[in-house]
Amino acid sequence: MLGMALTAAGPDAGVDEVLLLDASPGVAQESLERGAGHRVSASLDDALSADTIVLAIPVDEIVRWLHDHGASVGAGALVIDTGSAKRGVVEAMRRTVPGHAHSMGGHPVAGTELPGPAGADPARLAGATFVLCAVRNDPEAAARSRALAQAAGARPFELDAGEHDRVIARTSHLPHLAACALATVAGALVEGGGDAPRLLASTGFAGATRLAAGDPTMVSSFLRANAREVSAALADLAAELALLGRALEDADPAALEEALAAGRASRRAVG
Amino acid sequence: MLGMALTAAGPDAGVDEVLLLDASPGVAQESLERGAGHRVSASLDDALSADTIVLAIPVDEIVRWLHDHGASVGAGALVIDTGSAKRGVVEAMRRTVPGHAHSMGGHPVAGTELPGPAGADPARLAGATFVLCAVRNDPEAAARSRALAQAAGARPFELDAGEHDRVIARTSHLPHLAACALATVAGALVEGGGDAPRLLASTGFAGATRLAAGDPTMVSSFLRANAREVSAALADLAAELALLGRALEDADPAALEEALAAGRASRRAVG
C-alpha cells in the first residue's frame, strides 16, 4: 500500500525509485504488477544500499530482520517500518541500527483486513495518520520520515512508542480480539445446523466482525508484540461487559440505557 | 423503513393505503414526507380498523400496545410487529389478540443504527430476511405475513420465536453490547486528553463500534426483552475472550493463530 502511494508520488515528492523485496518472489512480483514499485530485487544488498528502507512485514519479522540485518544498514540510510506495535520495534532499532544511519518506528493507520497486495489501496493513506515513534534524538530521521509520510499522502504524527502501543491496543488490537470472539460465539450456532444463523446475520454482524477476517499470522504477530497492553485492554473490556451484563439484569431500565448512552458518547469522542 | 417499502410497492403488491400513527406527531409527519405512508392519522380507531396493523416501535412498547389495545383488534385484521426480540411479543400476541383476528411476530433483519425516519432506507429490505414467528396455527396469518414481507422486497423466513431469540442474541444483540464496551474502553483514553485516540482510531475501530451508535432507548428495549439469551451469549463471549487472553500469553504462538483462524472460519460460516 505504501509502495503504491510512494511510486505514484514519484520524483516530485522525492521518490526516485521503489525497489520491492519479499521473502516470497511471487508476492513481490504481484506487488510490482499492482504498481507498488519500479522493480523487484532478490538481493538483500540492494535493499541495504537504498536511501530509505521500509520494513512492511509482520511485526515479529520486522524485529527479526533488525536483529539479522540492522547492523548492516549503510551510512545515511533511513530504516522505517509499518508495524502496528511499536515499542519492541523501536527498541530493536535502537539496539541494532548503527549511529551512522537513521531509524524511525512508523505506523500508517490505514489498515485493511486483507493481507498482501490484494488488500492494498493507496487511497486509504490519503489523509490517514502516519504515526512516527522516535528511536533516538535524530532531527534528520524525523524530517525524512515526515517527508515520506507526506509523500504517501498521509499526515505524520509524532508519538512515544509506549503511548502508541497503549492507545492502539484499545482502538485496534482489542477490536480485533472482540471481532474474533463474536464470530466464534455466533459460529457455534452454525454447528447445530440450519439456515437461521446465516439468515439472521445482518450487515451489523458483518461490520462488528470485519476485523476477524484478518490474516491470523499478521494479526497474531501484532497482538503478541503488544501483549502487555492488549492484556490490560482485554481486562478493561471484560469489566465493561460484566457491567453491561449487570445493567441488563437490573430491574431499573435506566442502568442499561445510561451505559449504552455512555458508549455512544465515547464512540463519538474517539471516532 | 417498512412503510416506505410498502408505500412504494403499492396496489399491485396488495398495498392500497399506508396510514402512519406515531406517539409523536412530528415523527409521523417526517415519515410521511419521506414517503413512508399515504397519510398521517392521530386516531387509534383508524389503526384498529386497518386490514393490517404493523407495530414498528421499540419492543417494550410493542408489548405494552398489545396489552392496552390487542383485545380491540377487529375481526379479520392481521397484527404484525418488527421488533428484534420475539418470544415476549409472540406470547403477548397469543394472550391479547382475539381469535377472530390474526397475529404474527415479525423481524425484518435490515436494521440501521439510526433511529426513526432518518435511518430508514427501504433498499435495505431488498432481499433481506424477514423472520416470521407463528403465534398460533393460523395459515391465513402465515400467508398474509409472507405476502407483506414479499411486498416489501424481503424474503420471509418462518422460525420459532425462541429459536429466533437464541440466534439473534448472538448475531445482533451481543454485537451491540460488544460495540458499546469497546467504545467505552477506548473512550477512557480520551479522558486523559490528547489527540492520539482520535488519530489512531481507524476505519477498523469505526466498523467494530458502529452498533454503539444505536439509539440507547431502542437498543436497551430489545436487549432487555431478550435478556435471558443475551446473558447466556455474554457468558459465551466472556469465556471466548478469556481463551484468547490465555492464547495471547501462551509461549507457543500457534495457540493464538489457531484461535484467530477459527474466528475467521466462523465468520465465513455465519456471514
Side-chain angles (χ1 to χ4, degrees):
Chain A
M1 188 145 76
L2 189 53
M4 293 166 83
L6 292 175
T7 303
D12 288 351
V15 182
D16 292 323
E17 187 183 44
V18 175
L19 236 70
L20 295 161
L21 191 68
D22 197 288
S24 155
V27 170
Q29 186 59 37
E30 192 186 342
S31 296
L32 182 72
E33 283 160 17
R34 294 200 44 143
H38 296 96
R39 62 183 175 91
V40 166
S41 168
S43 150
L44 182 64
D45 285 340
D46 265 1
L48 286 170
S49 63
D51 294 328
T52 303
I53 301 169
V54 180
L55 302 173
I57 46 182
V59 178
D60 56 334
E61 293 179 27
I62 294 170
V63 173
R64 203 175 311 135
W65 191 95
L66 288 164
H67 285 149
D68 292 348
H69 310 295
S72 310
V73 173
L78 168 70
V79 186
I80 187 169
D81 76 305
T82 63
S84 87
K86 297 266 59 79
R87 196 196 301 250
V89 168
V90 163
E91 281 170 7
M93 286 176 166
R94 199 173 291 137
R95 275 199 308 275
T96 63
V97 178
H100 64 231
H102 307 281
S103 57
M104 180 67 75
H107 177 205
V109 185
T112 153
E113 71 276 10
L114 299 171
D121 176 4
R124 284 175 172 270
L125 283 166
T129 299
F130 199 130
V131 180
L132 300 176
C133 300
V135 175
R136 299 185 182 100
N137 181 5
D138 179 349
E140 186 175 337
R144 285 169 61 181
S145 298
R146 279 196 298 270
L148 179 114
Q150 285 162 343
R155 293 181 190 180
F157 177 61
E158 284 162 57
L159 189 66
D160 169 74
E163 179 65 6
H164 169 278
D165 286 5
R166 190 176 76 90
V167 172
I168 210 77
R170 289 154 179 90
T171 58
S172 168
H173 296 173
L174 183 64
H176 275 86
L177 284 175
C180 176
L182 284 173
T184 302
V185 168
L189 294 167
V190 178
E191 288 159 26
D195 289 333
R198 194 174 46 77
L199 291 173
L200 270 65
S202 71
T203 52
F205 179 79
T209 59
R210 183 150 295 128
L211 293 172
D215 176 53
T217 305
M218 190 184 70
V219 176
S220 166
S221 178
F222 61 66
L223 291 175
R224 287 174 65 87
N226 196 20
R228 196 172 62 186
E229 287 293 349
V230 176
S231 288
L234 258 177
D236 292 350
L237 182 68
E240 195 55 38
L241 288 169
L243 188 151
L244 287 168
R246 288 193 298 276
L248 178 66
E249 296 182 355
D250 197 307
D252 181 359
L256 184 57
E257 273 190 48
E258 280 164 21
L260 292 167
R264 184 170 66 170
S266 285
R267 181 175 190 268
R268 286 180 183 154
V270 177
Chain B
M1 188 145 78
L2 189 53
M4 292 167 85
L6 293 174
T7 303
D12 289 351
V15 182
D16 292 323
E17 188 184 43
V18 175
L19 235 72
L20 295 163
L21 192 68
D22 198 286
S24 155
V27 171
Q29 186 60 36
E30 193 186 341
S31 296
L32 181 73
E33 283 160 17
R34 294 199 45 142
H38 296 96
R39 63 184 174 90
V40 166
S41 168
S43 149
L44 182 65
D45 286 341
D46 264 1
L48 287 169
S49 63
D51 295 328
T52 302
I53 301 168
V54 180
L55 303 172
I57 45 181
V59 178
D60 57 335
E61 293 179 27
I62 294 171
V63 172
R64 204 175 310 135
W65 192 94
L66 288 163
H67 284 149
D68 292 347
H69 310 295
S72 310
V73 174
L78 168 68
V79 186
I80 186 169
D81 77 304
T82 62
S84 87
K86 298 266 58 81
R87 197 197 300 251
V89 169
V90 163
E91 280 170 7
M93 286 176 166
R94 198 174 290 135
R95 275 199 307 275
T96 62
V97 178
H100 64 230
H102 307 281
S103 57
M104 179 67 74
H107 178 204
V109 185
T112 153
E113 71 277 10
L114 300 172
D121 175 4
R124 284 175 172 270
L125 283 166
T129 300
F130 199 131
V131 181
L132 300 176
C133 300
V135 176
R136 299 185 180 101
N137 181 6
D138 179 349
E140 186 174 337
R144 285 169 61 181
S145 297
R146 279 197 298 271
L148 178 114
Q150 286 163 341
R155 295 182 189 178
F157 177 61
E158 285 162 57
L159 189 66
D160 169 73
E163 179 65 4
H164 169 278
D165 285 3
R166 190 175 76 89
V167 173
I168 210 77
R170 289 154 180 89
T171 58
S172 168
H173 297 174
L174 183 63
H176 275 85
L177 284 175
C180 176
L182 283 172
T184 302
V185 167
L189 294 168
V190 178
E191 287 159 26
D195 288 336
R198 194 173 47 76
L199 291 173
L200 269 66
S202 70
T203 54
F205 179 79
T209 59
R210 182 151 295 127
L211 293 172
D215 176 53
T217 305
M218 190 183 70
V219 175
S220 166
S221 178
F222 62 65
L223 291 175
R224 288 174 65 87
N226 196 19
R228 197 171 62 185
E229 287 293 350
V230 176
S231 288
L234 258 177
D236 292 350
L237 182 68
E240 195 56 36
L241 288 169
L243 188 151
L244 287 167
R246 287 193 297 277
L248 178 66
E249 296 181 356
D250 197 307
D252 181 359
L256 184 57
E257 274 191 48
E258 280 164 21
L260 292 167
R264 184 170 66 169
S266 284
R267 181 174 189 267
R268 286 180 183 154
V270 177

